[in-house]
Amino acid sequence: MSGSMLSAIHVILGVSAFILPVRPLDNGLALTPTMGWLHWERFMCNIDCDTDPHNCISEKLYMEMADVMVKDGWKEAGYEYVCIDDCWPSMARDSQGRLQADPKRFPGGIKKLADYMHSKGLKLGIYADVGTNTCAGYPGSLGHYDIDAKTFAEWGVDLLKFDGCYMPKWTLLAEGYINMSRALNNTGRSILYSCEWPLYEWQFQQPNYTAIQQTCNHWRNYADVFDSWNSVTGILDWTADHQSLIVPVAGPGGWNDPDMLVIGNFGLSRDQQQTQMALWVIMAAPLLMSNDLRDIDPTSQDLLQNRHLISISQDPLGKQGNRTAKVNGFEVWQRPLSGGRLALAVINRQEIGGPRSFPLTLALLPSWRCCNLQCNVTQILPQYQEMGVHSLFSKLQVLVNPTGTALLVVSPVKGKPYTRPQAKKWFYYLKKDKSQSILL
Ligand code: GAL
């Protein structure tokens, strides 16, 4: 090849590297946010099967959860992955250096558990750690990435949650997460890769989200969720404070992970459970429940299986929503949906008093264009209600309980859009209207 041809190719490669969009991890997985169940928040590291056989980390727990997922409509609603978290392995690797499950608590081994899940049309997730040990002190994968990825693939595992404890130097986090991503890819098995890389890197520097998005299918950014309102609002506040950095990188194949849904446990009121579900759906978050599906109250079950909410979560456009207003103790969050639609959440962050009314005129939303000239408004939460067709300038009142959320879907109705002078006139009247001043 001639020198000039080579340099022409270099120029083309150089230019295309510059203009090609950054691609998320391309393993064909997590094209919409992952749905399933993960043991950690509810069952933690309970390994005492002698005194607590019903709740300890053992193969029985996952098999029972899988049975219920099929029997009680979870699988049908879209929940697919049954995921093991920390505390499953034996303290020692086997003679060939492979991780092995604790023999007393997992007598059948992980392969049998994976087969069990597959026989029910479900998938199995497992947990490991990028460092020398897992957070609970079990063997970590540092120095064993290839063999661990191969072992998981041979067992038929479908998802790996890769934690970030006990890394001897934080500067090794990036290469650790990237090497495990490669190792998983090299197995030839499709294994969804759930990372905690940014969470651990934030303690030292702002993570490189482009690299993270090219490496992982989802990634934890912030502290572990607890079964409390304080924890849920902490996650929401952190997300809103960092939205300009983290929202643009989310999309099909790679998602920000605000941690598990704790709906159906002990710490959240009915309104707070609705807020967690509505906002996880707006954030295009993985929907990984950590609760006891064998014993869950019907209201929580209905909320988690609400098909309108799940269809927002799984919307094919795959855009994460963000906070667009914070005013008078309310927050407004919006997520663009396919077909020019919009999901809109209004949270009442006040923790005193009764239900408060939020005045809503679609023209005042940052994405008001979605509704020019008219749109159909459907309330999904607190209860389903068709609110009818509204013009850009009609005044809607949304009633929201303290710590609760109203979730609406706004869909455009075809019509002739407002002309500029018409719109200008209406905006002028709106600005003069005191009841609307909250959004201006
Ligand atoms: C934490 C992680 C939790 C859970 C736990 C297990 O660091 O963020 O989600 O996996 O370790 O020990």
Side-chain angles (χ1 to χ4, degrees):
M1 201 182 290
S2 78
S4 61
M5 221 166 135
L6 261 180
S7 53
I9 289 172
H10 282 146
V11 170
I12 291 165
L13 286 177
V15 170
S16 56
F18 192 67
I19 56 170
L20 279 179
V22 179
R23 279 171 198 280
L25 174 60
D26 189 15
N27 60 3
L29 298 169
L31 296 180
T32 58
T34 308
M35 292 177 68
W37 178 92
L38 173 63
H39 96 235
W40 185 255
E41 193 287 322
R42 177 66 187 249
F43 296 94
M44 300 183 73
C45 195
N46 177 356
I47 54 170
D48 187 358
C49 293
D50 293 333
T51 48
D52 196 6
H54 189 62
N55 298 304
C56 69
I57 304 311
S58 71
E59 62 184 25
K60 184 168 122 34
L61 182 69
Y62 306 97
M63 288 161 92
E64 289 180 0
M65 228 45 84
D67 294 347
V68 176
M69 278 174 76
V70 174
K71 182 168 69 74
D72 290 345
W74 299 99
K75 182 186 156 203
E76 208 188 323
Y79 295 94
E80 188 182 16
Y81 288 84
V82 178
C83 303
I84 306 173
D85 205 288
D86 206 345
C87 306
W88 65 269
S90 161
M91 277 300 181
R93 289 176 176 268
D94 73 6
S95 55
Q96 293 171 60
R98 293 177 302 198
L99 286 171
Q100 49 188 345
D102 180 280
K104 201 171 153 214
R105 293 181 286 118
F106 293 83
I110 303 295
K111 172 141 183 26
K112 203 174 134 213
L113 202 50
D115 291 346
Y116 189 79
M117 298 303 159
H118 299 152
S119 75
K120 298 196 160 269
L122 296 168
K123 296 195 152 107
L124 182 71
I126 207 160
Y127 165 100
D129 190 288
V130 70
T132 57
N133 290 87
T134 72
C135 297
Y138 290 81
S141 295
L142 186 63
H144 310 272
Y145 298 147
D146 288 313
I147 190 167
D148 288 355
K150 195 162 164 268
T151 308
F152 299 147
E154 280 168 10
W155 285 342
V157 162
D158 305 291
L159 175 153
L160 172 66
K161 170 174 173 177
F162 210 39
D163 211 336
C165 275
Y166 297 107
M167 199 54 162
K169 276 207 298 215
W170 73 269
T171 46
L172 297 174
L173 280 169
E175 88 182 45
Y177 275 97
I178 291 169
N179 285 340
M180 186 47 130
S181 187
R182 283 201 195 111
L184 290 172
N185 210 29
N186 290 341
T187 66
R189 184 174 174 82
S190 287
I191 301 180
L192 197 153
Y193 189 34
S194 162
C195 301
E196 297 206 34
W197 171 7
L199 164 58
Y200 288 89
E201 194 157 320
W202 268 114
Q203 297 164 29
F204 305 98
Q205 66 174 15
Q206 179 175 307
N208 174 351
Y209 277 97
T210 307
I212 290 166
Q213 180 219 35
Q214 289 168 338
T215 306
C216 309
N217 291 116
H218 30 90
W219 48 86
R220 285 272 312 281
N221 293 310
Y222 186 63
D224 291 3
V225 72
F226 278 54
D227 189 11
S228 74
W229 177 237
N230 199 34
S231 168
V232 169
T233 53
I235 293 170
L236 292 178
D237 291 343
W238 188 94
T239 304
D241 288 346
H242 296 82
Q243 60 189 16
S244 59
L245 179 68
I246 64 170
V247 170
V249 288
W255 310 98
N256 289 293
D257 177 7
D259 211 4
M260 293 157 268
L261 293 166
V262 294
I263 294 163
N265 290 325
F266 310 97
L268 300 185
S269 70
R270 190 195 51 185
D271 286 294
Q272 293 162 0
Q273 296 187 39
Q274 292 192 356
T275 297
Q276 191 187 29
M277 191 67 183
L279 270 294
W280 260 235
V281 154
I282 291 276
M283 291 189 290
L287 300 180
L288 291 168
M289 309 175 282
S290 194
N291 48 16
D292 191 346
L293 299 175
R294 300 166 301 184
D295 176 25
I296 185 167
D297 72 275
T299 318
S300 304
Q301 177 163 347
D302 286 350
L303 176 63
L304 287 161
Q305 293 187 357
N306 182 312
R307 65 191 169 87
H308 302 291
L309 293 168
I310 291 173
S311 90
I312 300 173
S313 153
Q314 303 292 301
D315 185 77
L317 186 62
K319 280 211 183 301
Q320 177 172 348
N322 63 294
R323 192 171 71 191
T324 56
K326 192 178 171 191
V327 65
N328 197 19
F330 288 107
E331 289 183 20
V332 182
W333 291 62
Q334 286 178 228
R335 175 177 173 184
L337 301 174
S338 55
R341 293 166 311 132
L342 186 74
L344 182 77
V346 180
I347 320 175
N348 177 359
R349 286 291 298 263
Q350 210 160 274
E351 295 178 33
I352 188 168
R356 289 196 302 143
S357 176
F358 182 81
L360 185 69
T361 296
L362 298 161
L364 296 178
L365 298 173
S367 36
W368 62 271
R369 278 185 185 80
C370 105
C371 188
N372 191 12
L373 172 72
Q374 286 191 312
C375 51
N376 198 44
V377 181
T378 308
Q379 182 177 283
I380 311 292
L381 287 175
Q383 56 272 319
Y384 186 86
Q385 192 192 338
E386 301 277 357
M387 295 174 82
V389 173
H390 291 268
S391 94
L392 200 48
F393 297 98
S394 22
K395 290 175 193 170
L396 297 163
Q397 292 288 340
V398 193
L399 204 60
V400 200
N401 288 348
T403 71
T405 293
L407 186 75
L408 311 173
V409 172
V410 176
S411 324
V413 173
K414 282 211 166 56
K416 204 161 144 262
Y418 282 100
T419 60
R420 246 173 182 274
Q422 274 171 329
K424 249 180 143 175
K425 194 173 104 201
W426 276 104
F427 275 118
Y428 172 78
Y429 287 124
L430 264 183
K431 277 192 180 155
K432 288 180 76 171
D433 179 350
K434 287 245 169 359
S435 72
Q436 299 293 320
S437 58
I438 185 173
L439 268 177
L440 290 170

